[in-house]
Amino acid sequence: MCSIIGYKGQFIEAAPLLVESLKKMEYRGYDSVGIATMNNGKILISKGVGKVAEVDKILEFAKLPGQIGIGHTRWATHGGVSDKNAHPHFSCNSDIAVVHNGIIENYQELKEKLSKEGHIFKSQTDSEVIPHLLEKYCKEFNNDYKKSIIYTCKILKGSFAFVAIFKNGLICGARFDEPLIIGIANSALFLSSDVLGFLKHTDKAIFLDNGDIVTIDNNKYSIFDINNKKVIRPITQVAWELGSTEKGKYAHHTLKEIHEQPSILFNSINKNNDFQQFCKFIKNASNVYITGSGTSYHSGLLAKNLLAKFAKIKSEVIMSSEFQYMSDTLETNSAIIAISQSGETADVIHAVKKAKEHGSKILSIINISTSSLARISDSVLVLNCGPEIGVAATKSFIGQLMIIYNVVNLLSGNQLSLNKINQKKLVTDIEKTLELDEKIKTIVSMLDSEIKDIYILGRSLHYSIALEGSLKIKELAYIHAEGIAAGELKHGPLALIDAKSLVIVINPVDETYKDVISSTHEIKSRGAKIIGISNKNHELYDNYLQIPESIDHLYPIVEVIPLQIMAYYLSLKMQVDPDYPRNLAKSVTVK
Ligand code: F6R
């Protein structure tokens, strides 16, 4: 939701380095940005509204001197998007500055109390209570910084990670249900929300656990808990995350990530050794539940269909944000398949924790192997699709599908025919489908610019792809789009269809084909414009996007590609930055 970074070095100026780090983590939030550095015993803050590069152009962050600093990109929760609400926030005496990620649930009460004690607040954020609390305790405990940090953490309620800088050069951080990682370089230390914040400088990291507090002083770190007990955490060598975070020849990360899909397709299968163990948990479970949010939820829907169809395993898919309302009915010995690109989505983590309380086994499918979800799971399968920077999930969706297909293949005695020949063909099919790029661009350019609604139809396995396609269009182009189970059309949605509607039908030739053609007739007779995605053309389609002929159950993996490309070109048509849609953040770490 927000990204936080702290840096304490010996030789390099902090500000330019912090700007670079924030650019790498901007996917986490991008409505405002700020930096604080410490120079000659004085803390200097510069902050403003906009994306990192835009604000940097105006404020010229590099002008802030000092080899110690903190930085932040914001995704507003409490308090509007304004310069004042941007982080870092100062204490009254300007001796302490803080950047924060998460939500302080009891901030109102704390703010009232601190205000009565004479503290003056300058923003509407929940975060600002932190520097004031640190200031209060520093005064009370005669500048015993460690004690002040501990007391501050003890009084805060909610999920948070923060990094604070003190005018004596001390940096501290705390991790309570939001990620915080120490990066250890030769002559510098980092505190960051994501390894991407320091990966250019070091691949040595310490993933702090919940409740860990860290201080960095004299270029040494020390980790302790809320009871001031020393804590030792292992140093990890970060591996895949070293993948490229540059756009290369592409105009946007999103387009690059769409085009990367053939090359990462089988990474998730070939680079995991734990499929057998994962499947064993499913086989031994009394009940199987699947959970995830957004795109990952759509992968879950497909997983449910495939498990039922091929492995004859019954499962229930529950959106992570809804999971808490049914968790009391969870039977012991259930298996929860939690799907999440980031492994940090608060709704997913919350669902999993609820399930764990009921004795369930947690099987996760994630991209970030070091994420919070990975660390609370009993079995983990990793997408290995490299960093996904575009806020909209594209290649991670395909990565999730491949893991799901392989799991179902193993559980069903190879009924999904994922042998080497078919794997190779799938890669070629996706490559061929990507060649639709120009055609889709033309179709999109000819669409009415005032287009308000897009409907996407599919049955059975294709329904989850219809939902995923509509989510991509909503978030990338800000156009209302709806995925509809084609059979449900006549039970209500048909009333919406008229000559102004655009309907995309996902209709490869399989058991659903004839029924979807019937629905297409019904739509055509209401005058709607129809785009068909299929391996077979039909006179009903105004535009036809041909996908290669495939094995029936493999079509979903291919048919999502034209929808991703269409969402991308629609975003350009609507003059939206596809990499950073408004109001969204890649890692949604608040509930
Ligand atoms: C859609 C999108 C979001 C995420 C959702 C879950 O393009 O990116 O809907 O899928 O926020 O995120 P993860 O998978 O990280 O848990």
Side-chain angles (χ1 to χ4, degrees):
M1 301 275 50
C2 298
S3 64
I4 55 180
I5 177 90
Y7 168 80
K8 182 154 182 170
Q10 285 172 318
F11 308 113
I12 302 172
E13 286 291 286
L17 190 141
L18 292 169
V19 171
E20 278 311 305
S21 300
L22 292 175
K23 279 186 185 160
K24 295 274 182 221
M25 295 194 288
E26 201 165 21
Y27 70 86
R28 299 179 60 87
Y30 37 86
D31 59 41
S32 44
V33 54
I35 276 178
T37 58
M38 202 287 294
N39 193 42
N40 292 332
K42 201 167 179 275
I43 299 176
L44 308 157
I45 289 186
S46 183
K47 57 185 184 176
V49 169
K51 291 178 57 197
V52 181
E54 292 159 13
V55 181
D56 187 29
K57 227 181 200 170
I58 300 162
L59 299 181
E60 299 181 65
F61 288 125
K63 281 187 178 161
L64 291 185
Q67 291 169 359
I68 305 171
I70 57 175
H72 187 267
T73 60
R74 181 166 187 248
W75 183 83
T77 55
H78 294 64
V81 179
S82 68
D83 290 353
K84 280 196 174 153
N85 289 338
H87 299 215
H89 294 289
F90 258 144
S91 56
C92 289
N93 58 13
S94 304
D95 286 355
I96 306 161
V98 169
V99 287
H100 159 237
N101 171 34
I103 287 179
I104 309 295
E105 284 164 7
N106 57 341
Y107 83 101
Q108 281 289 15
E109 163 196 335
L110 293 171
K111 197 169 171 175
E112 272 166 36
K113 211 165 158 245
L114 287 160
S115 299
K116 277 188 196 147
E117 290 170 16
H119 287 262
I120 309 225
F121 284 80
K122 298 199 178 94
S123 78
Q124 299 142 339
T125 63
D126 53 341
S127 317
E128 201 186 347
V129 296
I130 306 173
H132 290 285
L133 283 171
L134 289 169
E135 179 181 27
K136 169 188 158 89
Y137 292 125
C138 274
K139 272 189 196 145
E140 273 179 39
F141 303 133
N142 205 13
N143 282 339
D144 183 335
Y145 295 104
K146 210 170 166 189
K147 204 164 165 187
S148 312
I149 299 157
I150 289 178
Y151 267 72
T152 299
C153 291
K154 272 188 179 165
I155 206 162
L156 295 173
K157 290 203 180 106
S159 57
F160 59 88
F162 69 81
V163 178
I165 181 171
F166 295 77
K167 75 164 186 181
N168 69 345
L170 178 90
I171 290 189
C172 79
R175 183 202 195 282
F176 287 79
D177 282 321
E178 293 290 345
L180 193 64
I181 307 157
I182 307 178
I184 305 167
N186 282 340
S187 54
L189 289 164
F190 296 81
L191 281 174
S192 180
S193 299
D194 188 320
V195 290
L196 292 177
F198 54 74
L199 212 46
K200 197 176 156 199
H201 306 277
T202 178
D203 60 353
K204 285 202 191 74
I206 295 179
F207 291 86
L208 295 173
D209 249 5
N210 256 340
D212 285 356
I213 303 172
V214 55
T215 52
I216 296 178
D217 201 6
N218 295 326
N219 298 305
K220 285 204 182 90
Y221 64 86
S222 136
I223 310 172
F224 46 96
D225 67 13
I226 206 151
N227 301 312
N228 200 5
K229 212 169 133 223
K230 196 173 163 62
V231 172
I232 311 243
R233 300 273 173 236
I235 298 179
T236 311
Q237 184 123 8
V238 183
W240 74 260
E241 286 89 350
L242 278 168
S244 167
T245 55
E246 306 301 326
K247 282 188 280 207
K249 63 176 183 177
Y250 295 95
H252 294 99
H253 288 290
T254 307
L255 188 63
K256 178 186 171 223
E257 286 157 9
I258 290 172
H259 280 268
E260 266 172 10
Q261 293 179 110
S263 63
I264 58 97
L265 194 62
F266 287 100
N267 285 3
S268 53
I269 296 187
N270 299 335
K271 294 189 182 175
N272 274 300
N273 299 320
D274 300 328
F275 276 101
Q276 295 298 347
Q277 188 208 27
F278 194 95
C279 292
K280 206 165 156 194
F281 276 121
I282 297 179
K283 271 194 221 149
N284 292 342
S286 54
N287 287 286
V288 178
Y289 296 89
I290 307 172
T291 193
S293 303
T295 291
S296 300
Y297 169 71
H298 298 152
S299 297
L301 289 174
L302 197 63
K304 175 190 163 140
N305 270 331
L306 290 170
L307 278 170
K309 211 174 167 90
F310 294 98
K312 309 292 171 231
I313 292 175
K314 196 176 88 178
S315 61
E316 198 177 330
V317 197
I318 304 164
M319 276 173 204
S320 296
S321 57
E322 291 290 321
F323 198 92
Q324 57 190 301
Y325 307 113
M326 58 67 64
S327 55
D328 284 347
T329 60
L330 278 181
E331 309 79 0
T332 40
N333 196 27
S334 296
I336 314 292
I337 304 178
I339 310 175
S340 172
Q341 186 282 133
S342 61
E344 299 292 351
T345 301
D347 288 324
V348 182
I349 303 280
H350 186 67
V352 160
K353 282 185 178 165
K354 281 263 165 207
K356 260 181 118 84
E357 282 167 20
H358 287 80
S360 306
K361 290 278 183 256
I362 311 301
L363 319 180
S364 57
I365 299 176
I366 47 184
N367 196 28
I368 314 290
S369 58
T370 47
S371 59
S372 305
L373 179 57
R375 282 179 291 133
I376 52 175
S377 299
D378 297 286
S379 180
V380 178
L381 292 173
V382 185
L383 309 184
N384 287 303
C385 67
E388 190 174 62
I389 306 294
V391 164
T394 52
K395 64 175 178 174
S396 65
F397 180 63
I398 289 281
Q400 290 170 350
L401 294 194
M402 291 322 299
I403 287 196
I404 289 161
Y405 271 80
N406 202 43
V407 166
V408 177
N409 195 42
L410 293 171
L411 287 169
S412 64
N414 296 325
Q415 282 198 47
L416 270 66
S417 320
L418 282 184
N419 56 38
K420 289 283 167 214
I421 296 169
N422 290 337
Q423 287 190 16
K424 219 169 151 193
K425 166 143 187 341
L426 200 51
V427 173
T428 320
D429 287 353
I430 293 183
E431 282 167 349
K432 271 196 199 139
T433 309
L434 283 167
E435 287 169 13
L436 288 170
D437 190 290
E438 272 304 313
K439 183 164 186 184
I440 295 171
K441 195 171 165 183
T442 311
I443 294 174
V444 168
S445 73
M446 287 181 337
L447 291 176
D448 182 354
S449 314
E450 299 292 294
I451 186 159
K452 293 255 175 331
D453 306 289
I454 299 178
Y455 302 100
I456 309 181
L457 260 59
R459 271 181 180 254
S460 182
L461 301 179
H462 314 297
Y463 172 50
S464 4
I465 304 300
L467 292 177
E468 174 56 10
S470 69
L471 178 60
K472 289 292 90 93
I473 292 173
K474 272 183 256 194
E475 63 182 329
L476 287 186
Y478 312 161
I479 297 172
H480 168 245
E482 216 177 306
I484 299 173
E488 287 299 293
L489 194 68
K490 56 191 175 298
H491 298 295
L494 195 56
L496 294 166
I497 307 291
D498 62 18
K500 284 194 192 136
S501 313
L502 173 65
V503 182
I504 303 170
V505 290
I506 307 177
N507 198 20
V509 183
D510 64 7
E511 58 173 352
T512 66
Y513 183 75
K514 273 195 190 148
D515 287 335
V516 175
I517 287 292
S518 297
S519 307
T520 314
H521 274 289
E522 289 160 13
I523 295 160
K524 190 75 180 177
S525 54
R526 269 83 188 171
K529 183 178 168 65
I530 296 167
I531 299 177
I533 299 178
S534 178
N535 54 317
K536 187 177 171 193
N537 201 353
H538 197 286
E539 61 195 12
L540 288 169
Y541 305 148
D542 296 289
N543 294 107
Y544 169 51
L545 295 173
Q546 182 172 19
I547 53 172
E549 185 129 1
S550 181
I551 301 172
D552 287 2
H553 56 265
L554 298 182
Y555 278 120
I557 303 166
V558 180
E559 70 204 17
V560 71
I561 310 276
L563 293 168
Q564 294 171 339
I565 300 174
M566 191 171 296
Y568 172 76
Y569 283 114
L570 279 167
S571 82
L572 300 190
K573 188 181 173 82
M574 307 312 273
Q575 299 184 343
V576 171
D577 180 346
D579 288 342
Y580 300 105
R582 69 182 174 204
N583 306 338
L584 300 178
K586 181 122 192 106
S587 202
V588 187
T589 59
V590 290
K591 280 214 296 157

